[in-house]
Structures are given as structure tokens and as C-alpha cells.
Amino acid sequence: MAHAPRRNLVAGLTVAIVALPLALGFGVSSGLGAEAGLATAVVAGALAALFGGSNLQVSGPTGAMTVVLVPIVAQYGPDGVLAVGLLAGLLVIALALARAGRYMAYVPASVIEGFTLGIALVIGLQQLPNALGVPKPEGERVLVVTWRAVEEFVRTPNWAAVALAAGVALAMLAGARLRPAVPFSIVAVVAATGVAQVFHLDAAPPIGDLPSGLPAPSLAFLDLSALGSLLAPAVAVAALAALESLLSAQVADGMTVGQKHDPDRELFGQGLANVVAPLFGGVPATGAIARTAVNVRSGASSRLAALTHAAVLAVIVFAAAPLVSKIPLAALAGVLIATAVRMVEVGSLRAMAKATRSDAVVLVLTAVATLALDLVYAVIIGLAVAGALALRAVAKQARMDQVDLRADLPGEHSDEEHALLAEHIVAYRLDGPLFFAAAHRFLLELSEVADVRVVILRMSRVTTMDATGALVLKDAVEKLNRRGIAVMTSGIRPGQRKVLDSVGALDLLRFEDREYATTPEAIAGARSHLQGAGLLPTPQPDHRTVAERERTR
């Protein structure tokens, strides 16, 4: 353990080198400028590391958040984004206090994979204007902006910007395969900046002037009269911050042995980071999956690594702002394009698409919705479709099978009596869930029962029942009773009894005294009913002595 602090310091330095171009690039992409990305990485990175629920999580500006912020910037301006970030932070803290972190486990892998694929596509397309060296066209939809950027490039090609962006992206992608330990993002950006300076590439504009330090904290951006209109985008930002941060922490746990994050504390840390970061001009932050993965692979084992990452970036802000300001925007675009490509795990996508047709549908739908709509709508659509398909699959497990009475007949009976009972009584065993997605199918099957006088429903294997299932059962009993068919039930569980009682189904059964604990008791009740209707002979009392009965055996 003696080397743990040094190992964490080295991991933090490595992550900072990787994070610098990403923080700059995502700041530029968001529309608030490179300085906003740096402020977020420093302030939110430090606070989330201190107060979050993961020892390994690295937080800062991310591509997914940038995707959400672009239309918010277009509609509400930079001050609106800062206010949205603060509101979103408060909402995430509220989620933490409500202990909502545990529900991350209910997000299906197909939704997460589709979401990640969609984000990667959007991030890559968002970089095209800078990569092509054209002014960013007007528009909120990424596909529209991309098309207009390509049209502008065709009119006035800028091959210098394309060469810088392509060179940086290819260097990062090839370098990651050949020398994974080397931070090729910073190497490629330094090389591209050098080329732009030596050859005076005016066609590849730089980031521009950066402040030498963080601004003093301020709430000047907050317009209380506009908060109502900002609540909806704040909910979207909060949902994304919570989802991506918990997903990233989950990924970090999976890459290590013995590390386990606290989801509610993680939400609190991310919420606090997002409340404070806007005061320094920072954009909303989340846990960053790529940087967290670099942190883990670099040997991090404690929060010291993430804190070191934030401290190193702070030093860069204060000491190297003039150098950073010379980085070409095309080079940052190349970094983000390579990052988008590396986000797509082809093997995982192929496995998910092959798993089941439902998984493939949810994955594709979530990815398309992410690209065409926005991330929060995409997740909602993905969850809704995944839930509907899951309900459909569960509903298919529900069965109603006719069963033979012989095994449950008490005592000894002649074949003639068996035949007589089978002629008038039919027994069904209900298996699986009896709820809204499956109940009406049972109603149709029960309504088609004909030519019998008693139906016995064996319910001990019903796994769950909701109000719809109880109402359908009550409706079926009433319909059969109107046709002169008596319904007996057996094996109703305590949990089902409460639901049946709430809709009046038990009153219906109790009124006729037709609810029984076991199937043999239900059969005995059915026999009594048939004897009362004159359809079965009433057994005559045997007045013989025990000795006389023994002699006749």
C-alpha cells in the first residue's frame, strides 16, 4: 500500500492529459467556449471526486451532455445554460435524498447500448463544421446542421482543417491499438498545433483567448423570472446527469475487484458539482465513462486520482492558457470524432442485436431517437418500448390448462362416477401472472366453456395478480353464472385475496360459498352442488355396523 498514493497521483496526471482536449472540445461544442469546459472539469471534477459515491469516477463535461446543451444554448443563451445547470444540480440532489440511485439497475442493457451508439453518432456529426473548417450553420437538429455544413464545405473547401482533424483522429485511433498506454490525444493535438503555427494555417482557426484562471463565483446569470421556462430543460439535464454518472460508476465497478459505488451518494456528489460549476461559468457535468476507464486502467484505487486530475487541469488553466488558446478547433474536432468512434463497441452491439429480437428493436429505436430527437426522449422511448416488450414476454408465460379430476378425488370411486363427474365438472389450472397484459385472454378462454355445470379454477400457481386480472376473473365468474355454470376456486393466496377483495370478486364467491382452500375440497363442493341440482345421486346413509361392513368387503 506504500505505493498507492504515488500510483493514484500518476493515474490522475494521465487522466488530466486525456481530459484536457476533451474538456476544451466539449466546451467549444456546447456553445459556451473552451473556458467553460475547463471550468467544469476543474470545479465539478474536484467536487464530484470529494462528495461522490465512487472512488474511481472522473467527472467533467461529456459528449452526451453536450448533445443536450446545444439546443438549450440556441434557445436560452449562455446564461440560460448556467441556470439550467444549477437547477439540474438541485434536482439531482433531490434524487439522491429520495434514494433513487438504486433504480439504475432497472435500465435494460439494450437501452444503454442504443443510447451510447446514438450519442457517439451525434458527437461525431456535431464536430463536422469544425472538422471541415466552416462556420457552424444555424439549426438545432444535428442532422440539419451537418447537411448545411457539408453544403458550405462543397462551396468553399477547407482542406487544411480536414487534414488536421483527420490526422488527429487517425493518430488517436491507430495509437490506441498500437500503444494503448500512450495518451495520443494530447500528442496529436500538440503536433497539430505545431503544424498550424509553423505553416501559418489561417484556414484552421484556433480556440482563441482563454482567461488565465477561473472567474470569481457569481450568480449574475440567474434570472428568477425565467426559471419556470427553464425547468423542463433542467429536468432533461438532471435525468442525463444521473443516468450517465451512475452508468459510468457501474462500469468502473465492473473493471475492478472489491470496488462498489454508493449510487445515492454518487447522485449527491454529481448534484453538488452541478450546483457549484455554473457559479464559475461551467457547463453541466456528469461522470465520464472514457476518463473513468482511463483512470482505472492507470492504476487508480482512491479519490486522490480524480482530485489530481482536477488539480492538474487547474494548473493548466492558470499557467498555460496562452499555449492552450493556440490549439486549432479542427484538432479538437478530430479528438472528439476519434472519441465518438471509440465509444462504439461493435462486439457488444452485435451480441445485443443477436440476443433477442426485442433487444435489437430497443437498441435501434433508442439510437435513432437519440439521433433524431434528444437523449432524454430517447431513453424514455427506449424504456417504454423495452417495458412493453418485457410485459408481452411475461404475459405469454401465463397459461390456463384443463386438468384431470382423478388425482384430486377423495376416496375410492367407480369408473361410472368418474365419468359422471367428468361430464359435469371441468377443472382448469392457472399458471403465471394474471394481470392487465394477459388477463383478457383468460376471459375469452373461460367464456368459451360449454356443456358443463361446474368450473373449478385452481389458482395456487398464479404468481401475481393486479386489479385488471381480478376484474376479469370476476367478470368471467358472473358470465358463467348467468349461463347456469357454477364456479369454484381453490388455492387463492393471501396476496391475491386482497386484490380480489378490492374489486368485489371474493364477495361473489363467498355469497355462493364457492371458495375453497384445496382442490379436493372444491371437488367435494362441486359434487354437493350437482347432487343438489339432481345431476348426481345423493349417497344414502349406511346404517350397517362396522362388522357388517367388514364382512361385505
Side-chain angles (χ1 to χ4, degrees):
M1 294 298 292
H3 296 291
R6 187 172 69 184
R7 194 167 68 241
N8 281 290
L9 289 170
V10 171
L13 177 61
T14 305
V15 176
I17 291 170
V18 171
L20 175 61
L22 293 174
L24 295 169
F26 289 135
V28 171
S29 291
S30 71
L32 269 72
E35 62 272 21
L38 280 175
T40 304
V42 173
V43 177
L47 287 172
L50 278 172
F51 296 100
S54 170
N55 291 328
L56 306 173
Q57 178 95 286
V58 177
S59 299
T62 63
M65 188 59 76
T66 302
V67 171
V68 172
L69 294 180
V70 169
I72 297 176
V73 174
Q75 187 168 354
Y76 300 103
D79 284 354
V81 170
L82 298 180
V84 163
L86 190 149
L87 286 175
L90 293 173
L91 290 172
V92 175
I93 290 175
L95 288 175
L97 296 177
R99 304 186 67 79
R102 72 194 82 169
Y103 297 110
M104 175 63 195
Y106 296 111
V107 179
S110 52
V111 172
I112 292 170
E113 290 289 347
F115 177 72
T116 306
L117 174 60
I119 289 170
L121 291 170
V122 174
I123 292 171
L125 291 174
Q126 278 183 343
Q127 306 319 307
L128 277 185
N130 283 337
L132 298 175
V134 300
K136 186 176 178 182
E138 293 294 323
E140 292 184 14
R141 297 295 178 201
V142 68
L143 293 173
V144 173
V145 172
T146 300
W147 179 255
R148 290 173 179 168
V150 171
E151 285 181 329
E152 180 63 26
F153 178 78
V154 170
R155 283 194 292 269
T156 55
N158 184 343
W159 296 109
V162 172
L164 285 178
V168 170
L170 290 172
M172 283 181 63
L173 295 172
R177 285 180 171 273
L178 300 173
R179 292 282 189 275
V182 178
F184 275 96
S185 58
I186 200 76
V187 172
V189 166
V190 168
T193 305
V195 169
Q197 291 296 307
V198 169
F199 293 99
H200 305 289
L201 297 179
D202 296 332
I207 290 173
D209 292 339
L210 290 173
S212 296
L214 294 174
S218 168
L219 277 171
F221 60 84
L222 201 58
D223 178 4
L224 295 179
S225 64
L227 291 184
S229 63
L230 296 175
L231 190 58
V235 169
V237 169
L240 179 60
L243 181 70
E244 191 174 11
S245 298
L246 292 176
L247 174 60
S248 178
Q250 208 171 56
V251 169
D253 288 351
M255 294 177 68
T256 58
V257 177
Q259 292 279 0
K260 187 165 178 60
H261 74 284
D262 179 338
D264 296 314
R265 183 179 169 186
E266 180 61 29
L267 287 180
F268 179 81
Q270 295 294 338
L272 184 63
N274 278 299
V275 167
V276 177
L279 306 184
F280 294 89
V283 296
T286 75
I289 296 175
R291 275 155 275 177
T292 299
V294 170
N295 194 36
V296 175
R297 285 198 294 263
S298 300
S301 59
S302 74
R303 298 168 190 269
L304 179 60
L307 282 169
T308 301
H309 137 271
V312 170
L313 290 176
V315 170
I316 292 171
V317 169
F318 282 100
L323 294 174
V324 172
S325 66
K326 293 183 174 14
I327 296 173
L329 290 172
L332 291 182
V335 170
L336 298 188
I337 288 171
T339 302
V341 171
R342 289 167 64 178
M343 283 175 68
V344 180
E345 296 282 349
V346 177
S348 297
L349 292 174
R350 188 181 293 121
M352 196 65 59
K354 286 182 177 179
T356 67
R357 185 178 297 176
S358 296
D359 285 319
V361 167
V362 171
L363 188 154
V364 171
L365 197 59
T366 308
V368 170
T370 302
L371 189 59
L373 301 173
D374 68 43
L375 302 193
V376 177
Y377 280 132
V379 171
I380 291 171
I381 290 169
L383 287 174
V385 173
L389 292 173
L391 282 174
R392 181 174 165 232
V394 170
K396 283 185 175 179
Q397 296 174 3
R399 295 176 58 190
M400 188 175 76
D401 299 316
Q402 186 174 343
V403 291
D404 191 5
L405 293 173
R406 290 177 186 268
D408 294 297
L409 276 174
E412 296 181 5
H413 302 274
S414 65
D415 290 340
E416 183 182 356
E417 189 172 4
H418 277 305
L420 209 55
L421 288 172
E423 182 182 344
H424 297 297
I425 303 173
V426 63
Y428 290 101
R429 183 175 61 221
L430 276 60
D431 274 296
L434 186 60
F435 70 134
F436 69 92
H440 291 90
R441 182 159 50 87
F442 284 125
L443 176 61
L444 289 174
E445 290 183 38
L446 277 174
S447 300
E448 291 172 0
V449 173
D451 301 327
V452 295
R453 298 303 297 270
V454 179
V455 170
I456 296 175
L457 299 178
R458 299 174 57 175
M459 300 182 62
S460 61
R461 294 192 186 183
V462 174
T463 54
T464 186
M465 182 186 295
D466 68 355
T468 303
L471 282 169
V472 164
L473 189 64
K474 178 186 176 185
D475 195 20
V477 172
E478 287 176 335
K479 284 184 175 180
L480 290 171
N481 286 347
R482 282 198 295 269
R483 290 168 50 200
I485 300 174
V487 179
M488 316 284 179
T489 61
S490 69
I492 297 177
R493 296 181 180 181
Q496 299 159 8
R497 186 178 301 280
K498 181 181 177 182
V499 182
L500 288 166
D501 207 14
S502 69
V503 300
L506 280 185
D507 292 337
L508 188 67
L509 294 168
R510 286 181 187 137
F511 179 74
E512 298 286 348
D513 195 22
R514 291 174 181 172
E515 185 210 340
Y516 299 92
T518 66
T519 302
E521 290 173 351
I523 293 173
R527 291 178 65 190
S528 297
H529 175 77
L530 293 174
Q531 287 162 357
L535 297 170
L536 281 182
T538 303
Q540 299 300 316
D542 192 345
H543 298 294
R544 293 174 300 168
T545 64
V546 173
E548 288 172 334
R549 282 198 295 271
E550 286 294 330
R551 283 198 300 271
T552 58
R553 284 194 169 186

